[in-house]
Amino acid sequence: MRQLIAGNWKMHCLAAEAVALAQGIAAGASGIGAELLVCPTALHVAAVAQALQGSNVAVGGQDCHQAKQGAHTGDIGGPMLRDAGASWVILGHSERRQNHGETDELVREKTLAAVEAGLTPIVCVGETADQRAGGQETETVGWQLAGSLPKPFTGVVAYEPVWAIGTGKTATEQDVATMHAFIREELVRQFGDAGQIIRILYGGSVKAANAASLMAVPNVGGALVGGASLNAEEFLAIARAARAG
Ligand code: 13P
């Protein structure tokens, strides 16, 4: 299956910068066979969607509420993201889990809400440095998968070791191979045959220089890219290193 290269722009870019970044990516994306996605702040989803119209780059949100609508000050519902032009949403990112106390149960509810709204969820899992140092990385990820994914699950999983996010420390190919094989096993255990085709992205300090070797690891279905996705040329170089079919 072709790989998905998703840019998580996090809390970066004012409106004009977001539109310019989207235009830069769209301009170089036409010959790229990998599936492409950018996830700006929700505030800029509509403008970025408009800038990407007619291109092969999709737009997603970075979070959505578990309810469709209601008295939830400051929150954003899945149907609102969809209405603004998003077709994807990142859920349960470690920064949401850490900064906003999101639990596996909440992530599962948000995933259901996202699917209900017509969005494809990218559900993030990953261990901290302490958990890895304690030899608990697979156990941690196993619990996150069991708790965060509803049945059936029609989205994508992203493995993002917390210690590799924004640190320049990439997991080794061996670490990635071991964890992605474990995640595949868990997905098959949870979902049977359907678990064989769920894409598993790797995220954590992915850049053009390491993309080709990471994308070649078995069970890697693409990348979730933070910092390097804020530069159109760098993001496109990562996308060119991905599998087109
Ligand atoms: P970096 O690529 O900046 O390490 O961020 C990864 C990430 O958190 C993507 O969701």
Side-chain angles (χ1 to χ4, degrees):
M1 195 191 294
R2 70 186 180 137
Q3 290 179 316
L4 168 66
I5 303 299
N8 176 4
W9 294 358
K10 306 193 179 183
M11 201 173 75
H12 291 288
C13 299
L14 298 180
E17 294 164 333
V19 168
L21 178 54
Q23 286 168 340
I25 291 170
S30 60
I32 293 177
E35 195 167 355
L36 298 174
L37 167 67
V38 295
C39 301
T41 174
L43 192 59
H44 299 151
V45 163
V48 167
Q50 196 178 5
L52 292 174
Q53 239 176 29
S55 80
N56 56 337
V57 186
V59 187
Q62 300 175 10
D63 175 50
C64 74
H65 196 272
Q66 65 274 26
K68 249 192 221 160
Q69 58 174 59
H72 303 290
T73 303
D75 279 312
I76 289 158
M80 294 170 172
L81 282 178
R82 188 85 185 97
D83 186 48
S87 45
W88 294 78
V89 64
I90 298 168
L91 294 171
H93 190 281
S94 63
E95 288 151 15
R96 301 285 319 168
R97 292 178 185 262
Q98 280 180 345
N99 303 344
H100 298 272
E102 293 196 3
T103 61
D104 293 334
E105 176 60 21
L106 181 63
V107 174
R108 200 182 65 84
E109 287 174 16
K110 288 183 172 201
T111 304
L112 285 167
V115 172
E116 172 83 26
L119 299 165
T120 304
I122 299 176
V123 177
C124 303
V125 296
E127 81 286 356
T128 62
D130 282 352
Q131 286 164 332
R132 179 165 281 267
Q136 294 163 331
E137 65 274 14
T138 47
E139 188 188 334
T140 302
V141 168
W143 280 112
Q144 288 173 334
L145 291 170
S148 305
L149 303 180
K151 203 170 184 172
F153 176 64
T154 51
V156 170
V157 169
Y159 168 58
E160 299 206 304
V162 177
W163 48 270
I165 295 177
T167 58
K169 281 189 220 162
T170 315
T172 64
E173 286 159 47
Q174 188 52 54
D175 288 342
V176 175
T178 304
M179 185 58 86
H180 280 238
F182 168 75
I183 293 173
R184 175 68 65 211
E185 244 173 63
E186 281 300 297
L187 293 174
V188 170
R189 197 181 56 75
Q190 274 183 251
F191 305 110
D193 280 352
Q196 294 283 9
I197 53 162
I198 294 172
R199 277 189 287 197
I200 309 166
L201 311 184
Y202 168 77
S205 299
V206 176
K207 43 188 186 277
N210 59 25
S213 52
L214 287 165
M215 293 307 101
V217 174
N219 288 305
V220 169
L224 184 52
V225 186
S229 72
L230 296 170
N231 177 296
E233 279 317 310
E234 181 84 6
F235 184 69
L236 290 166
I238 294 168
R240 281 192 290 268
R243 240 190 351 263

